[in-house]
Amino acid sequence: MNKLAVRTIERAATDVIQELGRCGVATVHEAQGRTGAMEPEIRAGVPGAAIAGSAITVLCAPGDNWMLHVAIELMEPGDVLVVGTTSRSLDGFFGDVLAEFVSQRGGVGAVLDTGARDIRDLREQGFPVWSRAISPQGTVKETVGAVNVPIMCGGRLVIPGDVVVADDDGVVLVPRQGAAEVLAASQKRIEKEEAMRSAIKQGGKTLDLLGLRDKLADKGLRYDDGPVDWPFHQE
């Protein structure tokens, strides 16, 4: 454990972060080459929540959430708390009291490679949280970890200041340095999908709109007008 808490990190431009949030997880993931998605076990505890913000990273010992208290104190408006542990731990690291603290600091949500608890209260608060598990098991405050250092969360390396986009589809990370380029690619993808929806409403077919029909023929697909008498054994 580093026993280090870094006070100052670099962040992407606020407008870029907000627009990435509007694009949504699936679009951003596709736009940056299908990379950056956390494991699907990191799930939304508050259905319908959607956020985007800068990662404030926390490295904790298993079953010990002491460093969350340190990290939240260092959060700035628009930040997302991202929590990892030195080895697997599904205890309830985060609940309604810490959610209140994050909100007071201007944070927009939390992503945890651990458990969360007080889920009913979090839903009533409308506080966005994504976690690997839900567990009533509490934690201790004994081991000093680190804040704003590179960590692993949801199977992904998270660098402090990375853009975190999260919604009902899961969580995706966008490197801070490339956030503007990923946003441009995401917006281009949205425009393409809007054009496709319009074409479908006018009778277009996805195989043609995506240029897939000839590829099917090249791969050997053939159509049969049927009906086909399948030679299944009848007992």
Side-chain angles (χ1 to χ4, degrees), residues 113-133:
D113 204 350
T114 66
R117 63 181 187 173
D118 303 326
I119 295 300
R120 180 170 61 184
D121 293 330
L122 293 175
R123 289 174 178 171
E124 289 177 354
Q125 292 174 359
F127 184 88
V129 60
W130 287 256
S131 65
R132 186 174 289 277

Side-chain angles (χ1 to χ4, degrees), residues 28-105:
V28 170
H29 179 246
E30 292 283 350
Q32 65 175 356
R34 298 183 180 178
T35 63
M38 288 190 180
E39 294 167 339
E41 290 80 8
I42 308 296
R43 297 181 179 179
V46 179
I51 63 169
S54 299
I56 296 295
T57 62
V58 193
L59 181 62
C60 297
D64 190 319
N65 78 341
W66 194 1
M67 297 309 294
L68 271 67
H69 298 262
V70 176
I72 297 169
E73 193 173 76
L74 300 179
M75 291 181 78
E76 295 185 3
D79 286 343
V80 178
L81 191 72
V82 182
V83 180
T85 52
T86 54
S87 62
R88 182 178 171 87
S89 182
L90 300 180
D91 297 337
F93 272 60
F94 189 92
D96 61 331
V97 173
L98 287 181
E100 187 65 43
F101 191 14
V102 171
S103 296
Q104 289 298 316
R105 297 298 301 165

Side-chain angles (χ1 to χ4, degrees), residues 181-201:
E181 289 76 13
V182 173
L183 173 59
S186 298
Q187 291 172 331
K188 183 176 181 180
R189 182 176 181 84
I190 290 173
E191 292 174 0
K192 180 179 178 180
E193 290 179 347
E194 288 296 334
M196 184 176 296
R197 289 190 189 93
S198 177
I200 289 171
K201 290 177 181 177

